[in-house]
Structure formats: C-alpha cells, structure tokens
Amino acid sequence: KGIRSNGLQSVAFDPANKNVLWAAGLRSSAGTKRSFPPDSKYFDDKADGIYRSDDLGRSWELVRNAAFLRGQAQNEYFAFDSEGASPQGCSIVYAITHDAGLLKTTDCGKTWAEIGPKGIIGNAVIRNAKVRWIWLAADEGLWLSRDDGTTWKAVKTPAVPVRGLVLHPDDSRIAYVALGKAGVWRTADAGATWEDRSGGLRQDVNWVRLAISPADPDILYADATRAGGSFPYYTHDGGETWHGTEEKEAAF
C-alpha cells in the first residue's frame, strides 16, 4: 500500500526502530541505460524515489522523489547512524540516488541534504560506525568520507565500475570490492593499495555482490550475474581460495 513505482530496488531496516523500513522505488525496465543524468524515459518523478514504512511494510510513504536505475550492482542504497536517532525514532539516514548523489536526512525523511559526490550512479553505501567513515561504490569508482559525509576523496581501484562493496567489521582499513569481470579485490590500507583476491573465481562473469560474516570476517560471499541467473561463491580464508555452488552439487 502506498508504493506507486513498479517495484523496490533496495530495502533496509532502520536500526533505531524495528518498525521502520526504507526503500528505493523505481519503474525502470530491465534494459535501463545507466547514464548520468538519467534519461527521463526510465523514471517517473511522481512515483519513483525514497519510500518509508513505519509499520513493517504494511504501508509506505514517498518521502523524497529520486531516480533509480536498474543494473548489475549490489543495490545497497541505505546506510545509518543509529546513535544520532531523531526524536521521531529514525536513524540518521544516508541514501544513494541516481540523480542527486548521496542524500542525508536527520528527521525521518522530512528534509534531505545533498552531501555526496554528484554525477555518479551509486551501487552501495556502507558506514563504519566505529570510525564514522562512509564508503560509496559507484559505476564511476569508489569514494571514502572520513567525516560522515562532509568531505569526500576518490579512492583509486584496479578497475571500474565498482559493483559491490563490503567492510571488515573490526578493521576500518580493510574493504573488498566487486569489479565485474575484473573479479574481487581487497585493500588493507583504506584504498592506498589493492590485492587481487580473484584466485579461483571465474573471469567470464560479472562479479557484482559481496557479503561478509560479522562473526568471522574471513568468511566472504560473492555473487555474479550470468545468463540464467546468479552465480554464488564463498571463501573461508578471506579470498585466498574460493568455492562455488557447483562444487557442492558435484559432491552429491
């Protein structure tokens, strides 16, 4: 109820309020051209944008018009600062958009400030609460803010676009990125240098999604897109070796 777009590209629970969800609504087709500025034929300014639900998804309200473009990407569009929760019971929210860069709200979506790099098509935003860093992965590259989004620095990666991104839960300097057919890479010094962690991964597919275990950061999951569906792999040693689901299938 309340969602006027065709569907939701990204959905996240607000850590400050278990009843609140945030979502990116869009009407674009699977063949959407990813370009900046977005082609107006791929979005509807009366339906597309950031939605909020205060009742676990039973009803939704469009709180900010925004363009969202489909594509082979992680689609993790929301990051949170729950320590800065508003009187209304929401976290401070950082939200990717594809027409206004990264947005920030401190009042449950009533007002928004444009804080992120402009002219980019974002794929994932992750905030490290311990050091108040924000990482932003995009078609155009990788960015890092060390002051909660006030200033940004472009981080050079081995390839672009940067489709997926995860952070080490205990070490703010360590991050992994998914770089399409360039595979999965790791930095241990906040992006100053990178090492290829693609050994054992197929190179003929687009690696686009990453997930890391909060309990054991050596456990990492990677997923690629290919004809016929997804292509998940996993590692137990931080990317030194990888195992695919077809290996499990062959064992039975």
Side-chain angles (χ1 to χ4, degrees):
K1 180 182 177 181
I3 296 176
R4 297 188 293 273
S5 58
N6 282 354
L8 302 179
Q9 184 86 337
S10 178
V11 179
F13 281 94
D14 191 317
N17 189 330
K18 65 180 182 181
N19 294 312
V20 175
L21 289 88
W22 298 86
L26 77 168
R27 296 185 62 186
S28 56
S29 66
T32 297
K33 181 180 179 181
R34 290 171 69 85
S35 63
F36 191 91
D39 190 323
S40 60
K41 71 181 180 181
Y42 292 120
F43 66 94
D44 184 333
D45 60 7
K46 295 180 181 179
D48 296 351
I50 300 170
Y51 284 82
R52 191 192 74 238
S53 171
D54 297 328
D55 54 11
L56 289 174
R58 297 180 184 89
S59 62
W60 295 86
E61 178 186 0
L62 180 64
V63 294
R64 176 54 154 85
N65 280 120
F68 294 105
L69 303 174
R70 292 188 188 276
Q72 298 175 350
Q74 189 163 314
N75 300 331
E76 192 170 340
Y77 291 167
F78 300 95
F80 302 94
D81 175 4
S82 56
E83 294 181 357
S86 68
Q88 297 92 336
C90 302
S91 298
I92 293 175
V93 182
Y94 301 88
I96 285 175
T97 70
H98 292 158
D99 58 350
L102 191 68
L103 303 182
K104 176 182 179 180
T105 181
T106 60
D107 54 13
C108 279
K110 183 179 180 180
T111 60
W112 296 85
E114 297 182 10
I115 65 165
K118 296 182 180 297
I120 66 168
I121 300 173
N123 296 318
V125 58
I126 301 178
R127 181 179 181 273
N128 186 312
K130 294 181 179 179
V131 292
R132 307 184 73 84
W133 289 7
I134 301 176
W135 294 76
L136 178 63
D139 281 9
E140 297 78 9
L142 182 67
W143 276 262
L144 172 62
S145 172
R146 298 173 186 257
D147 51 17
D148 258 341
T150 301
T151 59
W152 294 88
K153 179 182 179 180
V155 178
K156 187 175 181 180
T157 54
V160 292
V162 181
R163 300 297 197 192
L165 168 70
V166 291
L167 306 182
H168 192 288
D170 301 318
D171 191 333
S172 60
R173 301 166 297 174
I174 297 176
Y176 296 83
V177 291
L179 301 176
K181 290 186 178 180
V184 175
W185 290 69
R186 175 183 184 267
T187 180
D189 51 19
T193 60
W194 294 86
E195 56 182 327
D196 191 351
R197 290 286 172 148
S198 304
L201 291 177
R202 285 179 52 168
Q203 301 300 303
D204 59 340
V205 293
N206 288 308
W207 296 98
V208 297
R209 285 176 290 274
L210 296 171
I212 196 169
S213 168
D216 185 348
D218 284 335
I219 300 176
L220 185 68
Y221 303 89
D223 191 26
T225 58
R226 61 171 180 173
S230 61
F231 196 72
Y233 266 59
Y234 63 94
T235 176
H236 289 140
D237 51 20
E240 292 286 347
T241 57
W242 291 88
H243 310 278
T245 53
E246 73 277 7
E247 296 177 17
K248 288 185 176 182
E249 294 169 358
F252 292 94

